[in-house]
Amino acid sequence: MSSIHELPFLQEKIQELKDQGVYRRLPILEGANESEIVLNGKRVINLSSNNYLGFANHPRLKKASIEAVEKYGVGAGAVRTIIGNMDIHEEMETLLATFKREEAVMTFQSGFNCNAGTIQAVTEAGDIIISDELNHASIIDGARLSKADKTVYKHNDMNHLEKVLKESRDKYRNILIITDGVFSMDGDIADLPSIATLAEKYNAMTYVDDAHGSGVLGESGRGTVDHFHLHGRIDFSIGTLSKAIGVIGGYVAGSKTAQEWLNHRGRPILFSTALPPAAVGAIMEAVKMLMETTEYTDKLWKNARYFKEKLGKLGFNTGHSQTPITPVIIGDEAKTMEFSRTLLDNGVFASGIVFPTVQKGTGRVRCMVTAGHTEEQLDRAIAAFEKVGKEMNLI
Ligand code: PMP
């Protein structure tokens, strides 16, 4: 019998993953995250990063980051509530609030942390969280940490949401409706105007995780709330600083009251060290660039439309995406992973996404088009999709 220290119960589960054809090693990126990369020693087109605007290796962000390190050092040295709150943290939040057209912003160390910390802090026993069934894992985990009751509504189904609201209104003190702004696996946009209207009708709070809408939708990438002109009607507007902004971090944009409360009860604020100066300097530069020019967001959308149209013409099922997230839906899990592996052999990295990240039987290769791609790179990628798709009888 093997010893418990060899973790036999985990070895068994790992073997199951191998048997199902979904076991994978972490890919190793040699160099910066750009539109063309060296992956495991091979040069490939990168269709899998959230670096929507190409900011992750942008010279202006790097310069700002270095300047912040020179002045503030490499670490904040403490949690914000003790002595980790530097003037640049405050400056970053003021800038983000101006950009987001909201009263105040509270930043966290990551988007994941932001959801995990905020949902728990703003709900309690006697409340209910009503969440879209396709919401991100960090929302699910945040809700699990809360003592409120939880329920889900069918994806973007406003009739179902209203039914749940009707049933909940008299039973609970506060109701919190949570949705992704842009759904990360399908690229569709939440019906936020209807959600805001229903929330007002049933006196509920609204919470939008706009990780994939920030820097992508709305004027100059101000996000899904701005896209629908819903300022003042969404209580908690969450964004990440790790995707379009290109760095790391997450934030809640909304009221001064929300910011004040999170300062006292947002557990990642109280118990985890503040964002490092290098990140803060780069984030501020990215936001300034978005406020200066639409060059990056325009290019992102141009590339996304081009790529999606070409894939559709080839006969691939790209689902109902309304954003640069372009799923190529295959269905079967093992076939999805094989498609992704063969694309890689042909010079394109587009990661296969299978259960439990998406529902069983809805495996897909998810393509993330960015502003950094050239038309020539997109054409090369499309040629690889055509070749492998035909070889595998997918088109
Ligand atoms: N929310 C959504 C919808 C996401 O897609 C992600 C990132 N996968 C997160 C939150 C977490 O953001 P971060 O990577 O900044 O922690």
Side-chain angles (χ1 to χ4, degrees):
M1 212 174 83
S2 57
S3 123
I4 189 75
H5 301 299
E6 287 164 19
L7 308 175
F9 61 103
L10 293 183
Q11 285 181 9
E12 249 172 58
K13 288 181 198 287
I14 290 168
Q15 189 54 50
E16 274 171 30
L17 297 180
K18 288 182 177 167
D19 294 344
Q20 290 160 12
V22 294
Y23 177 85
R24 61 186 149 199
R25 288 181 202 288
L26 295 182
I28 299 172
L29 179 57
E30 295 162 31
N33 194 319
E34 295 188 311
S35 56
E36 204 161 336
I37 51 176
V38 178
L39 190 69
N40 299 330
K42 189 178 156 117
R43 193 158 188 86
V44 294
I45 295 165
N46 178 10
L47 279 179
S48 288
S49 93
N50 297 316
N51 181 19
Y52 285 113
L53 301 175
F55 281 3
N57 192 34
H58 195 288
R60 273 184 65 178
L61 271 74
K62 290 201 281 194
K63 184 166 176 281
S65 189
I66 291 163
E67 282 168 9
V69 170
E70 297 287 1
K71 180 163 179 199
Y72 294 93
V74 293
V79 302
R80 288 185 75 181
T81 48
I82 297 186
I83 193 65
N85 186 41
M86 295 165 158
D87 54 7
I88 37 169
H89 290 110
E90 298 274 334
E91 216 184 300
M92 167 180 65
E93 287 174 345
T94 305
L95 182 67
L96 276 167
T98 305
F99 176 63
K100 294 292 287 187
R101 300 184 167 130
E102 299 288 346
E103 198 182 13
V105 157
M106 184 78 220
T107 50
F108 288 73
Q109 303 86 346
S110 74
F112 197 107
N113 251 358
C114 180
N115 281 329
T118 304
I119 298 169
Q120 180 194 36
V122 301
T123 55
E124 59 189 1
D127 298 341
I128 186 165
I129 295 166
I130 305 179
S131 183
D132 187 291
E133 66 180 337
L134 293 190
N135 278 345
H136 188 256
S138 53
I139 293 176
I140 298 169
D141 289 3
R144 280 182 184 147
L145 290 170
S146 163
K147 292 199 174 74
D149 282 354
K150 297 110 201 171
T151 188
V152 292
Y153 61 95
K154 287 190 203 122
H155 177 50
N156 226 353
D157 182 336
M158 293 303 115
N159 291 328
H160 191 213
L161 174 60
E162 178 152 27
K163 183 170 172 284
V164 178
L165 283 166
K166 225 179 248 170
E167 288 162 3
S168 306
R169 188 51 286 171
D170 293 337
K171 285 209 304 219
Y172 293 96
R173 189 187 63 138
N174 284 334
I175 299 176
L176 179 65
I177 306 170
I178 307 187
T179 183
D180 278 6
V182 172
F183 289 87
S184 53
M185 294 301 142
D186 293 277
D188 53 330
I189 305 174
D191 184 358
L192 267 196
S194 301
I195 292 174
T197 302
L198 284 174
E200 280 149 14
K201 184 169 170 192
Y202 292 94
N203 193 26
M205 296 182 290
T206 43
Y207 184 111
V208 180
D209 175 356
D210 211 19
H212 292 276
S214 314
V216 175
L217 286 173
E219 190 194 340
S220 301
R222 283 177 167 81
T224 310
V225 173
D226 190 78
H227 171 74
F228 287 121
H229 309 293
L230 292 173
H231 294 288
R233 296 178 66 194
I234 301 297
D235 297 290
F236 305 98
S237 180
I238 279 64
T240 49
L241 300 162
S242 59
K243 300 186 194 298
I245 298 297
V247 194
I248 188 84
Y251 60 88
V252 182
S255 62
K256 184 95 187 78
T257 310
Q259 184 203 36
E260 271 175 352
W261 180 243
L262 291 171
N263 243 321
H264 289 85
R265 287 292 181 274
R267 289 172 73 81
I269 305 296
L270 271 66
F271 300 111
S272 184
T273 298
L275 279 170
V280 179
I283 289 163
M284 285 199 287
E285 191 64 18
V287 176
K288 284 177 196 160
M289 281 162 64
L290 282 177
M291 287 162 86
E292 266 170 31
T293 174
T294 59
E295 175 192 335
Y296 300 96
T297 46
D298 289 349
K299 180 84 187 303
L300 169 68
W301 280 94
K302 182 171 175 268
N303 279 350
R305 289 195 183 101
Y306 181 80
F307 187 72
K308 213 176 280 185
E309 194 188 308
K310 293 247 164 160
L311 280 184
K313 275 196 185 139
L314 285 175
F316 284 107
N317 174 10
T318 57
H320 46 276
S321 166
Q322 299 164 278
T323 62
I325 298 173
T326 309
V328 176
I329 298 167
I330 309 295
D332 179 76
E333 272 74 29
K335 212 176 226 182
T336 302
M337 297 315 287
E338 186 193 337
F339 188 44
S340 171
R341 276 192 301 270
T342 318
L343 281 170
L344 186 58
D345 293 341
N346 283 272
V348 176
F349 183 66
S351 60
I353 311 240
V354 294
F355 179 81
T357 309
V358 293
Q359 283 171 4
K360 275 210 164 102
T362 70
R364 72 220 35 211
V365 165
R366 188 180 62 153
C367 304
M368 310 293 279
V369 181
T370 72
H373 288 104
T374 62
E375 200 170 297
E376 184 275 328
Q377 286 169 337
L378 294 178
D379 285 341
R380 252 192 295 146
I382 288 155
F385 268 83
E386 182 173 14
K387 176 173 176 277
V388 180
K390 282 183 177 155
E391 278 167 15
M392 287 182 63
N393 290 323
L394 297 171
I395 50 170

